Amino acid sequence: MEMRGITKRFPGVMALDEVDFELEKGEVHVILGENGAGKSTLIKMLSGAYQPDEGEILLDDEPVSISSATVAQELGISTIYQEFNLVPQLTTAENIFLGRQPRRFGLVNRRKMGEEARRILERMKVRVDANALVSNLGIPQRQMVEIAKALSLDARILVMDEPTASLSGQEVERLFEIIRGLKEEEVSMIFISHHLEEVAEIGDRVTVLRDGKVVDRVPASTNRSEFVRMMVGRPIEDQFPRQQPETGEVLLEVNNLSQKGILEDASFQVRAGEVVGMAGIVGAGRTELARAIFGVDPVDSGEVWVEGRRMKLGNPREAKRRGMGFVTEDRQGQGIVPPLSVEENLSLASLGLNTSVGLVNRREQRKRARKMIEDLNIRTPSPEQEIRYLSGGNQQKVVIGKWLLANSRVLIMDEPTRGIDVGAKVEIYELMNELTKNGAGILMISSDLPEVLGMSDRILVMSEGRITGELSVDGATQENVMELATQGSEAAVE
Ligand SMILES: Nc1ncnc2c1ncn2[C@@H]1O[C@H](COP(=O)(O)OP(=O)(O)OP(=O)(O)O)[C@@H](O)[C@H]1O
Ligand SMILES: [Mg+2]
């Protein structure tokens, strides 16, 4: 497959500027670039979601016009999108075969569909119930369903836009095994990721994009700092700039939080000035714990104390009033309000909040939102742009910025840097430093082990709904974190 001189403009944005790209048979071609560089826009030309303004696409040296998703499918191109395309009200199996269910006498053959779905999930060695409603699945499981859906098409070209963003170590390895298998069958793949360590492991060649232009095309064995320089335009000296301030009083105390089948006796504390990391494999119950603390989900028993006062559970508004903030992992579902502007989304968590300077007025609010756009380098043509038009990583930055603006004293961050580029990650870490220096405490849930080790002052590890251990950051290694993370567990996606 070859793309020649692809140009794509959106109002106020030159998303792609004469991009050339090629894909050989059986190759894994990685696309790297900062948030907003144009990666997703480029691959959407292949899936039929967008048409190029200029340029052409050739398959087997023949120009093709990929005018719709159906055409893409007929040409043997299958895409795993960055933003999920699942229908929550349908089951896993129904989603995998959406729009092309196996039929018999004009009726959907449900039994056959279920069997087929199970076969694919088994091949992926993933434990997701084919009959489960997608609305009941967690984000990583949904990612696996997306992958299953793409695989079920038996495509010649498989396009994956950040497929590993919401997976942890073992699931990533499983996906890589699948990719290696497909390579042997001469399937060609495009792979987009912000995890640079994955590039050398799975890629053959790399095309780097910056501001909609190709910077260079290099072998996947190119070293990391060189990739960073090409993407960001400057070297990054310190990937994890954690400066631990002195710790103060206990801000958050969680005692024996339990919820049948989900959480068992979770107890821990977060002090002022601390970043407490929380590691674990997918399905360990970390997000569930965060949701229980913030009051989104109910609990059977247990207590949460904030700044020495017991908090009523099951009431997120109360949690917010008490100075808690929650950066959710599900930015599409809970993090953003798509039709509102970037500026409005940034202001959502702090509207009407009492701060030390009194009620924040609108003018002040706008000023602060604009400063956050600058601080986090949020790529948007203007603060008034509807957030849904921003690239995935830039939407994520807004979700984080919104809570940073709310001046939360206790901040729970669930996978804060998922989908965020290498440069912006460091900006977020710097802001975490600033917050903790000013007396906030942060609970950082992360599946990115180097991040947990690099940015936490203490590390809690969860497995199967329990906190299985606590490590000081000096004593912690990837190995002993993983050991605690897989304790009493079969380490499977459930
Ligand atoms: N439908 C749209 N309308 C307006 N602007 C858009 C639209 N889609 C993309 N853009 C803009 O085009 C640029 C490229 O976006 P794209 O989604 O391709 O980035 P990306 O490289 O995939 O970034 P990320 O790593 O954050 O996913 C961004 O500035 C984005 O805001
Ligand atoms: Mg993208």
Side-chain angles (χ1 to χ4, degrees), residues 202-359:
I202 202 68
D204 295 307
R205 288 187 296 171
V206 180
T207 292
V208 183
L209 291 179
R210 188 159 83 226
D211 293 331
K213 293 192 189 66
V214 173
V215 179
D216 206 350
R217 189 165 69 208
V218 293
S221 57
T222 305
N223 73 46
R224 184 196 160 88
S225 53
E226 187 60 15
F227 282 138
V228 172
R229 200 193 47 73
M230 283 190 275
M231 288 166 66
V232 191
R234 63 185 154 81
I236 290 178
E237 306 291 337
D238 191 358
Q239 209 189 334
F240 300 111
R242 177 67 183 147
Q243 298 163 344
Q244 190 186 2
E246 254 179 61
T247 50
E249 82 272 21
V250 175
L251 290 180
L252 175 69
E253 182 172 340
V254 174
N255 292 330
N256 309 97
L257 222 49
S258 293
Q259 166 77 4
K260 197 163 183 299
I262 297 168
L263 293 175
E264 203 184 313
D265 250 353
S267 301
F268 68 95
Q269 299 180 338
V270 179
R271 291 176 173 273
E274 271 191 316
V275 174
V276 177
M278 182 163 274
I281 59 167
V282 167
R286 295 168 301 163
T287 295
E288 288 75 7
L289 178 58
R291 287 170 61 88
I293 295 170
F294 199 70
V296 187
D297 290 341
V299 290
D300 294 331
S301 58
E303 300 169 353
V304 174
W305 295 66
V306 178
E307 298 187 64
R309 282 171 52 215
R310 190 164 171 187
M311 192 174 75
K312 204 172 119 221
L313 288 172
N315 188 342
R317 194 171 292 183
E318 170 71 6
K320 211 169 113 179
R321 215 179 47 77
R322 295 285 296 276
M324 276 176 61
F326 184 18
V327 177
T328 57
E329 68 167 343
D330 176 14
R331 68 168 168 259
Q332 266 185 303
Q334 298 146 22
I336 63 166
V337 184
L340 292 186
S341 71
V342 171
E343 189 174 72
E344 286 164 325
N345 269 283
L346 276 168
S347 303
L348 279 179
S350 41
L351 269 184
L353 269 192
N354 273 306
T355 67
S356 50
V357 288
L359 207 63

Side-chain angles (χ1 to χ4, degrees), residues 425-441:
K425 269 185 192 169
V426 178
E427 308 292 324
I428 288 168
Y429 298 149
E430 298 284 7
L431 283 163
M432 288 167 70
N433 278 340
E434 202 178 306
L435 284 170
T436 49
K437 207 176 85 200
N438 293 332

